[in-house]
Amino acid sequence: MTTPAPVETGVPFASVTDLIEAVCAGRLGPDPTTEQVSVAFTTRQGARHAGRGRSYRNQVLSLRVGVTVGSCATEPDELTDEVAYDCVGRSVAELLTHPVPAVRVAVLDAYLAAARPHAHAADDTVTIPAGTSLAKSTARAAAVVDLTAVEPGQRVLVVGVVNSLLGQLRRRGVSYLPCDLAGGSTEWDEPCLPDAAVLLDRCDALLVSGMTLGNGTFEPLLRHARTTGKPMVAFAQTGSAVLPCFLGAGLSAVSAEPYPFFWLDGGPTTLYRYRAAVGPSSC
């Protein structure tokens, strides 16, 4: 099977709604009414890296369309298995109007990953070497933080706390504001505040999880970055093919990690990195 060339439109997208409308109009790839979800599944994970004092849980909805898998992470136990089962056999167009946000994001991700393959569209790739879960988490974090345009003494708002990312910022002398809807605290007992909006004026840059796509918090962060000119980097397992469509419209760079994620496999895995070009964003 020939891998399709990435679809380029030259059209900047400033909202997920605009992007979905473009897909439904057939502007970014094949007719979404003819593309169907063949496989749907959820991945539930609990992890505590060796030597770390904190554990965490993940739940991810993944949908397969053709040869690609799109994903959206949710809070643990937010979705039942029936939500996944109900997606099987339904068209992309139908699921883009689904009442569950995670379904809309996952199917949009799968569709765009086929229309704009990472291997063709990304600016570069980084291989995360085989290793323990902690070694792979640390290597991924270094590749993500390398995308941030910050210097020692500046402060980064980290939305969606990942301790390995915070560790990399600490090593580089960059301070941070940890923010997570689930609250809690970091590996260093720093409180994670749940409301990013109240922290925006205190940061010089943003480092944002793809989970913001699924929980509705992405667009206010994007608007802030766009209007202030602050660099905003996304680290994306959720919506890894969706977020590059916002490059240049507030988003500065993306670390895209499609399924299977680094924590599912002890072998080498790949990150696809994107950076905003000069001029308008495109998808």
Side-chain angles (χ1 to χ4, degrees), residues 92-211:
V92 169
E94 185 180 5
L95 292 179
L96 285 173
T97 64
H98 196 281
V100 176
V103 172
R104 299 195 298 272
V105 171
V107 77
L108 181 63
D109 191 31
Y111 177 92
L112 290 173
R116 192 175 190 267
H118 288 299
H120 287 193
D123 293 307
D124 64 57
T125 62
V126 176
T127 298
I128 305 302
T132 65
S133 63
L134 178 58
K136 293 194 70 176
S137 178
T138 301
R140 183 191 76 141
V144 171
V145 173
D146 281 345
L147 293 170
T148 60
V150 290
E151 299 176 353
Q154 293 187 304
R155 180 178 290 172
V156 179
L157 173 59
V158 181
V159 183
V161 168
V162 176
N163 284 303
S164 291
L165 292 175
L166 302 185
Q168 286 294 321
L169 293 170
R170 293 169 72 94
R171 289 184 184 94
R172 300 171 194 218
V174 177
S175 62
Y176 53 80
L177 297 165
C179 176
D180 200 292
L181 280 179
S185 58
T186 73
E187 187 75 16
W188 300 273
D189 291 321
E190 302 149 327
C192 299
L193 302 178
D195 187 358
V198 303
L199 302 172
L200 287 171
D201 290 339
R202 297 169 54 191
C203 73
D204 301 297
L206 296 86
L207 183 56
V208 176
S209 167
M211 281 187 71

Side-chain angles (χ1 to χ4, degrees), residues 124-128 136 256-258 260-262 267-272:
D124 64 57
T125 62
V126 176
T127 298
I128 305 302
K136 293 194 70 176
E257 186 182 358
F261 314 126
F262 81 89
T269 47
T270 302
L271 299 181
Y272 300 91

Side-chain angles (χ1 to χ4, degrees), residues 82-95:
E82 293 303 320
V83 172
Y85 299 150
D86 185 55
C87 293
V88 176
R90 298 173 70 178
S91 73
V92 169
E94 185 180 5
L95 292 179

